[in-house]
């Protein structure tokens, strides 16, 4: 069956089965290799992409459910690495093996879109579904705080605490 997928702003037709995981349409049909296969069960987060701005596991999202929606992969954040999350990831030197990092970056980007100044608790909650076998969780958290600073103009600021967010009416 033919479906129209809009990935990183470009619409392409793919002739695949309706229940094919979006991951395989992105990687094998559209030849975009940034999104990784990790577990195939939606548990590790390596395959995270944005579907209409929300972080989803592409291994568990069927092509038929992604057709007609805006799909963003790690390649779509910025071609030159200028996205604040990409900048922070490099500045903090987050990756070790790097395999999970595309999914980590996509989840972090979705978090910062929803909550531009997250607390440690916000970060831990939003990132809890992304596994890193190398254990770079503290660097990931630090990079998310740094990306928040970069997006706000670059000045380094102390991380916002949960109590501060609540006091300013920003907690959900």
């Amino acid at each position: 069956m033919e479906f129209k997928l809009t990935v990183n702003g470009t619409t392409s037709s793919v002739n695949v089965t309706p229940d094919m995981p979006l991951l395989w349409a992105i990687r094998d049909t559209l030849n975009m290799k940034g999104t990784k296969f990790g577990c195939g069960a939606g548990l590790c987060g390596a395959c995270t992409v944005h579907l209409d701005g929300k972080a989803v596991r592409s291994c568990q999202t069927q092509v038929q459910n992604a057709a007609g929606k805006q799909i963003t992969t790690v390649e779509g954040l910025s071609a030159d690495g200028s996205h604040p999350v990409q900048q922070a990831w490099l500045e903090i030197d987050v990756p070790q093996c790097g395999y999970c990092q595309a999914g980590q970056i996509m989840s972090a980007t979705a978090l910062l879109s929803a909550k531009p100044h997250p607390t440690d608790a916000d970060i831990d909650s939003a990132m809890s579904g992304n596994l890193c076998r190398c254990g770079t969780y503290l660097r990931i958290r630090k990079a998310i705080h740094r990306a928040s600073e970069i997006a706000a103009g670059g000045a380094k600021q102390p991380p916002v605490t949960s109590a501060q967010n609540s006091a300013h009416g920003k907690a959900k």
Side-chain angles (χ1 to χ4, degrees):
M1 218 172 164
E2 187 170 306
F3 295 94
K4 291 201 182 300
L5 297 179
T6 303
V7 181
N8 303 328
T10 301
T11 302
S12 301
S13 292
V14 295
N15 192 6
V16 299
T17 61
D19 61 346
M20 173 186 262
L22 179 59
L23 172 65
W24 300 126
I26 291 169
R27 287 186 58 81
D28 296 345
T29 305
L30 298 176
N31 202 32
M32 300 178 74
K33 305 298 186 189
T35 304
K36 304 297 184 206
F37 172 78
C39 67
L43 302 172
C44 73
C47 69
T48 303
V49 298
H50 294 173
L51 192 61
D52 284 343
K54 294 188 140 208
V56 299
R57 305 300 191 242
S58 63
C59 73
Q60 296 294 295
T61 303
Q62 296 178 347
V63 168
Q64 65 186 347
N65 296 325
K69 298 181 179 177
Q70 296 295 316
I71 303 161
T72 306
T73 68
V74 70
E75 295 97 337
L77 292 182
S78 74
D80 62 359
S82 63
H83 189 281
V85 174
Q86 293 170 313
Q87 289 179 8
W89 242 248
L90 291 172
E91 183 180 316
I92 304 300
D93 197 23
V94 173
Q96 192 162 319
C97 83
Y99 196 83
C100 70
Q101 295 304 305
Q104 299 277 3
I105 287 169
M106 295 308 290
S107 290
T109 303
L111 166 63
L112 291 170
S113 291
K115 192 164 241 178
H117 304 289
T119 66
D120 284 348
D122 295 331
I123 293 169
D124 293 348
S125 176
M127 301 302 289
S128 67
N130 289 79
L131 302 179
C132 175
R133 296 189 87 182
C134 299
T136 64
Y137 299 111
L138 295 178
R139 290 193 307 233
I140 289 167
R141 185 192 296 155
K142 185 176 180 180
I144 292 170
H145 283 301
R146 180 64 186 130
S148 173
E149 294 167 355
I150 292 168
K156 289 195 176 194
Q157 302 167 353
V160 177
T161 66
S162 294
Q164 287 171 320
N165 257 353
S166 294
H168 291 98
K170 295 180 184 174
K172 286 188 178 181

